Amino acid sequence: MRRNRQAQGSKPHSAQNNTSACKADSKKLEAEETSSMAILGNVIDGIGSLALSAVGASIVGAEEVQNQPGRTIEAAPRLLFDLLPDELVVAILTEVVSSYIEPLNQHKAPSRLLRISKRIHAIAIGTPHLWEIIAVEGDLDPERLWPYLLRAKTFNIYIYGRFEREIHSLLDQLRTLSILDDYWKSLHIRASNHRITRALLSQLTSIDYPNLDTLIIRSNRPASISTFLDCPKLETLVIKGTHLDWRRLTVNSLRRLEVAFRQLTDAVWSSFEDILRSNAAQLQHLFIRLEETVQGRPTYSPIQLGSLDTLRIVDMTGEIVLPLLSSLEIPRLRVLQLSGNGSEWPAWDLKKEDFKLVEELNLHDLICVEEVLVSLVSGLPALRKVSLWTEGIRPSQVRSLIEPNSERNIAWVVRLAAEDCSINEETPEADVEAAQKVLEWLATNSEFSIKDFRYDTNSELTWQRLPAVTQWRLVEDYEWGKQIWLPPLHI
């Protein structure tokens, strides 16, 4: 097999070292490993303590621990961990590795496990799935990848590029990984420099992808894929910040497709429609984002997506949502999410046969008018949840939307902008009292919060004039990068 031949053969040459930067990275990594080792040791001690309290007597008595040479009662947790069966130890190590959120940390975790004990060292080396995450970044030596190549059976590869000077090192690491391209399961590229993206994509065109099921490319600046990619088993494709020549992509097994168009032309849309048709039988999740302009008027041909479960459209131009929804035949759609500029949308009647099964409607960061919301909600008879995180709609308008649908058993998640809830110093007391009642009603009948775009307390919304919200909590919303006001648990 190619794996054995390459493992026995010569390894690729290392990239040139970057003196001071490499030394600094090495010291930083060593410090991180030392800290992580202590954390992992505590985890194992905690697991051993739990085992001692739960089944300690049945495994080994405290007296036996005390009577063993060199053992103390404090050593019982470690002793019990050593007595656990290999299958349970593997499950614990898997949980430790997966507990890291960032792939970079998941990649480093198996190597740190090796230093805990000889038994864990042996078990970790013999557990292939612990070594599946491979993270490529910066000016690192490709030689460090060989333990992963020799121990794992499949690879989930993450490539991070930040600076143009890293291109040669990233390419060297990528060439090393391509030795076993038959074992690639997923490939994730995240680059903040378009030259890095272009260089990586040029190299990737010379690699085979017989078993790749996930390809994700995110670039802060636009790059282009104009060469041929053949991914027969690809199920997830995410292309953001990158122009793709859809005519040169061969895929017919997609279940999830996410794409961001910077500029949309009729030719681009036509080739993209071909991708949709070739994957129509099994495509379940579709996300389309239009960031800039539509050049000309693309022709939206009818497309039947009989398996589509989730459709998300982010339209910053307000030009594609209506014609796209009109062209798609999506009888099994369950989740619909719309974002962007809907200020010019008219109230429209959805095709009842295509939206009769929609249970969840998400309107996130959508600028629209009340009539659009009314027509959307009324046109979806099976709705069970509505997430309304939008601008330009006042609390009283939201209440007038919720109240007529109170008997439909819909769960409402409402987040409004602070400026849409504004009460200034000159507002009459009667209006302040009315606003207070509306906010109280929304906090009682929905999961309600207020986005504060200004990050200060001097916004138009004067909390002191609204007794209902003087006790609200200001928290950071990390998902959306905003501050939000949450009502108390009981108003």
Side-chain angles (χ1 to χ4, degrees):
M1 291 178 62
R2 176 159 47 170
R3 177 193 291 268
N4 294 331
R5 291 200 305 269
Q6 295 296 343
Q8 297 171 1
S10 59
K11 300 175 184 178
H13 294 292
S14 303
Q16 295 180 351
N17 292 329
N18 258 356
T19 58
S20 59
C22 287
K23 291 181 180 179
D25 290 342
S26 178
K27 291 181 179 179
K28 182 179 179 182
L29 179 60
E30 184 177 353
E32 290 177 353
E33 289 179 349
T34 302
S35 174
S36 297
M37 288 296 299
I39 294 174
L40 292 174
N42 292 335
V43 169
I44 291 176
D45 282 345
I47 294 171
S49 299
L50 182 62
L52 180 63
S53 61
V55 294
S58 62
I59 299 179
V60 56
E63 297 82 5
E64 182 180 348
V65 175
Q66 287 179 312
N67 293 333
Q68 290 187 20
R71 295 284 188 175
T72 64
I73 191 64
E74 290 79 10
R78 288 277 182 157
L79 175 61
L80 286 175
F81 187 86
D82 290 340
L83 293 176
L84 294 176
D86 287 355
E87 293 80 4
L88 185 53
V89 174
V90 169
I92 292 169
L93 299 184
T94 302
E95 183 65 26
V96 170
V97 173
S98 61
S99 66
Y100 290 98
I101 298 176
E102 290 294 329
L104 286 171
N105 292 326
Q106 289 184 4
H107 168 74
K108 298 172 184 176
S111 298
R112 297 167 183 169
L113 291 171
L114 300 182
R115 301 184 183 184
I116 296 177
S117 69
K118 291 182 179 179
R119 183 182 182 219
I120 290 180
H121 185 284
I123 293 176
I125 287 180
T127 308
H129 69 261
L130 294 179
W131 305 87
E132 289 181 351
I133 303 295
I134 296 182
V136 175
E137 62 167 342
D139 300 326
L140 298 178
D141 190 343
E143 295 287 324
R144 70 182 179 86
L145 300 174
W146 279 95
Y148 296 83
L149 296 180
L150 296 174
R151 293 168 185 164
K153 292 183 178 179
T154 59
F155 306 111
N156 297 302
I157 300 172
Y158 295 80
I159 302 178
Y160 298 88
R162 293 178 296 173
F163 307 109
E164 192 172 345
R165 59 177 172 79
E166 300 172 346
I167 290 179
H168 294 296
S169 174
L170 292 174
L171 290 177
D172 284 341
Q173 296 178 71
L174 185 58
R175 293 187 189 101
T176 300
L177 293 172
S178 66
I179 292 172
L180 294 175
D181 52 24
D182 287 354
Y183 299 89
W184 288 19
K185 185 178 180 181
S186 68
L187 174 61
H188 308 248
I189 298 176
R190 176 169 293 179
S192 56
N193 186 298
H194 66 284
R195 292 186 177 87
I196 294 178
T197 308
R198 186 178 297 114
L200 292 173
L201 294 176
S202 298
Q203 179 65 31
L204 290 172
T205 56
S206 63
I207 300 174
D208 297 327
Y209 305 97
N211 295 303
L212 192 74
D213 63 24
T214 301
L215 175 60
I216 299 176
I217 303 176
R218 303 178 189 270
S219 178
N220 290 353
R221 295 183 60 187
S224 297
I225 305 178
S226 58
T227 47
F228 183 74
L229 293 178
D230 186 5
C231 307
K233 295 186 178 181
L234 197 66
E235 295 185 356
T236 298
L237 176 62
V238 178
I239 304 290
K240 296 184 178 180
T242 299
H243 299 304
L244 178 63
D245 187 347
W246 296 98
R247 296 169 297 181
R248 304 186 66 83
L249 179 68
T250 302
V251 288
N252 51 25
S253 302
L254 287 179
R255 296 183 180 274
R256 185 181 193 92
L257 176 58
E258 299 184 18
V259 59
F261 297 103
R262 290 188 177 273
Q263 292 183 339
L264 187 61
T265 65
D266 187 64
V268 170
W269 183 255
S270 177
S271 58
F272 180 71
E273 285 183 334
D274 291 339
I275 293 292
L276 292 179
R277 290 190 181 92
S278 62
N279 294 274
Q282 68 283 333
L283 188 64
Q284 298 176 358
H285 303 273
L286 176 60
F287 172 23
I288 299 176
R289 179 183 180 94
L290 179 59
E291 298 181 355
E292 293 182 4
T293 59
V294 177
Q295 296 183 0
R297 290 188 174 274
T299 302
Y300 299 91
S301 303
I303 302 176
Q304 184 174 5
L305 302 177
S307 299
L308 197 66
D309 175 85
T310 303
L311 173 62
R312 180 184 177 190
I313 305 175
V314 179
D315 182 9
M316 307 309 294
T317 68
E319 299 182 38
I320 70 168
V321 169
L322 298 185
L324 180 58
L325 287 177
S326 300
S327 66
L328 295 179
E329 298 179 17
I330 39 181
R332 296 184 181 178
L333 190 69
R334 190 182 58 85
V335 179
L336 176 62
Q337 179 168 334
L338 303 176
S339 303
N341 182 9
S343 58
E344 301 300 324
W345 294 351
W348 79 92
D349 292 329
L350 301 174
K351 295 180 294 183
K352 299 297 191 299
E353 64 276 10
D354 278 353
F355 297 91
K356 62 182 179 181
L357 300 180
V358 173
E359 298 178 356
E360 184 173 337
L361 176 64
N362 299 324
L363 305 175
H364 290 183
D365 287 342
L366 179 68
I367 302 174
C368 63
V369 296
E370 183 181 0
E371 289 76 11
V372 171
L373 299 180
V374 171
S375 61
L376 272 170
V377 174
S378 62
L380 302 173
L383 269 184
R384 292 294 176 266
K385 180 179 179 180
V386 176
S387 295
L388 181 62
W389 298 4
T390 187
E391 300 176 44
I393 302 296
R394 298 187 62 81
S396 57
Q397 295 174 304
V398 176
R399 179 174 179 175
S400 65
L401 175 66
I402 296 178
E403 278 189 308
N405 295 282
S406 58
E407 297 182 358
R408 294 182 59 186
N409 195 26
I410 298 175
W412 294 83
V413 180
V414 180
R415 181 175 300 180
L416 302 182
E419 43 264 51
D420 294 327
C421 306
S422 59
I423 297 292
N424 58 44
E425 296 294 342
E426 299 178 357
T427 303
E429 288 300 325
D431 293 340
V432 173
E433 183 178 352
Q436 175 182 330
K437 291 181 179 179
V438 171
L439 292 179
E440 287 178 340
W441 190 92
L442 289 176
T444 302
N445 293 274
S446 68
E447 186 178 325
F448 184 65
S449 58
I450 297 176
K451 294 186 291 186
D452 181 15
F453 288 118
R454 291 185 170 83
Y455 288 90
D456 62 64
T457 58
N458 298 319
S459 63
E460 295 178 7
L461 180 61
T462 305
W463 301 103
Q464 290 77 8
R465 297 204 64 194
L466 290 173
V469 297
T470 54
Q471 302 300 319
W472 286 30
R473 296 164 290 150
L474 180 63
V475 299
E476 295 287 344
D477 182 0
Y478 294 102
E479 180 181 1
W480 295 90
K482 308 290 185 185
Q483 288 183 327
I484 62 173
W485 292 90
L486 295 176
L489 297 179
H490 301 285
I491 290 186

